[in-house]
Amino acid sequence: MTQVDCQHHINSLFRHLLRLDHFIAKTLAISERDARLRLIEKKVIVDGKISTDHEQKISRFSEIEIRGRVLQYAVQRHYLMLHKPVGILSATRDPIHRTVLDLIDCPAKETLHLAGRLDRSSSGLVLLTNDGHWSESLTDPEEKVSKHYLVETDRQIPGSAVERFRKGFAFQTEGIVTRPATLEIHAPRRACVTLEEGRYHQIKRMFHRLDGIRLISLHRDRIGGIRLPEDLKPGQWRSLTEKEIQSPRSL
Ligand code: URA
């Protein structure tokens, strides 16, 4: 296999997590039975440790070695937070607008994708990574990771909105009813919204259903347990800490 073929092979194998015996069989072009034999014989090392578990899940972030031969070098993982300013597009490239990637200058930036978007007119916390499994666990509504937003509206928010947000709104285009959301009204035109999903223009559309209320500003300050730090100014980014990477779901 050439280096390009080999990379292609690895990429196509790793759309999802893969079982270790399947990876060995495919990579060495041997049967799965023979792959399991290599494991029983303690010939396989995953991330520096002997593995005998043929069901072990591996990814392109795992280093895999057999009898001193490296079958796969581990790709380094990257996890970043960015304070997205208003006017920047939540995309990795765009022919017209500046994107979040234009604000990041780490060497691996071309490998990153967004773990959830914000509208161009919104600001706040955006997470980027090259770990698809991690980003999926943040954006999948079934994982119930809460996202917290501060909003300012053009008109007074009626008290009845709290119940409407909790009950959900039918979105005809998608054929869904939004999941229960929490609305806390802090001032006549200021509130916090907590969602566990991220539909297209979701918060704007929910407010619009309340007699056409429009948003003046929308700012995300938390995703699960990851908060936008006060000292991270619009346009700035930093790597996540180990604790932040491990705890996106906890508050
Ligand atoms: N809801 C919106 O309407 N816009 C965002 O950017 C995020 C949530």
Side-chain angles (χ1 to χ4, degrees), residues 4-23:
V4 173
D5 288 344
C6 185
Q7 195 52 51
H8 181 72
H9 164 74
I10 287 173
N11 287 345
S12 62
L13 284 180
F14 283 122
R15 241 171 257 278
H16 302 286
L17 292 181
L18 196 69
R19 258 172 55 165
L20 183 55
D21 56 350
H22 292 178
F23 172 82

Side-chain angles (χ1 to χ4, degrees), residues 54-244:
H54 66 273
E55 288 190 357
Q56 183 173 347
K57 295 283 189 290
I58 54 155
S59 71
R60 60 203 171 93
F61 305 113
S62 321
E63 180 145 317
I64 299 156
E65 213 182 305
I66 291 198
R67 293 199 183 104
R69 174 182 165 202
V70 178
L71 288 194
Q72 174 181 273
Y73 288 99
V75 168
Q76 200 188 336
R77 295 171 198 254
H78 296 280
Y79 306 90
L80 270 61
M81 67 161 72
L82 167 76
H83 185 159
K84 186 186 103 57
V86 168
I88 298 290
L89 203 65
S90 284
T92 48
R93 62 189 61 173
D94 187 82
I96 299 167
H97 300 291
R98 290 183 79 207
T99 72
V100 290
L101 270 203
D102 293 325
L103 303 177
I104 289 167
D105 57 7
C106 81
K109 74 177 206 170
E110 296 303 333
T111 68
L112 302 177
H113 63 266
L114 283 143
R117 292 161 197 275
L118 279 176
D119 295 341
R120 197 153 73 90
S121 56
S122 306
S123 60
L125 179 61
V126 162
L127 301 174
L128 293 119
T129 182
N130 61 350
D131 182 348
H133 204 63
W134 186 80
S135 56
E136 262 175 49
S137 74
L138 287 177
T139 50
D140 180 355
E142 295 305 324
E143 298 282 343
K144 297 194 178 352
V145 175
S146 63
K147 286 103 192 165
H148 189 259
Y149 302 83
L150 313 173
V151 301
E152 190 186 349
T153 60
D154 68 343
R155 259 166 294 152
Q156 179 156 358
I157 307 165
S160 58
V162 174
E163 187 56 10
R164 300 275 311 272
F165 271 59
R166 196 190 61 74
K167 276 196 171 153
F169 294 86
F171 282 179
Q172 305 298 350
T173 340
E174 293 96 324
I176 55 113
V177 175
T178 56
R179 290 174 181 235
T182 309
L183 175 70
E184 294 162 71
I185 303 173
H186 295 298
R189 296 193 297 110
R190 284 182 196 275
C192 289
V193 179
T194 310
L195 300 180
E196 287 176 355
E197 58 189 341
R199 306 272 171 195
Y200 176 70
H201 290 337
Q202 179 161 348
I203 297 178
K204 285 182 187 151
R205 289 160 79 193
M206 292 197 299
F207 273 101
H208 201 62
R209 292 287 181 84
L210 308 171
D211 289 332
I213 292 181
R214 291 192 180 276
L215 297 192
I216 305 289
S217 66
L218 175 55
H219 178 83
R220 181 160 67 199
D221 65 349
R222 180 172 60 70
I223 298 176
I226 305 174
R227 282 176 195 281
L228 184 68
E230 278 183 12
D231 59 358
L232 198 72
K233 302 296 171 213
Q236 292 184 333
W237 66 275
R238 70 156 169 80
S239 295
L240 296 189
T241 62
E242 201 51 44
K243 196 167 162 215
E244 286 167 336

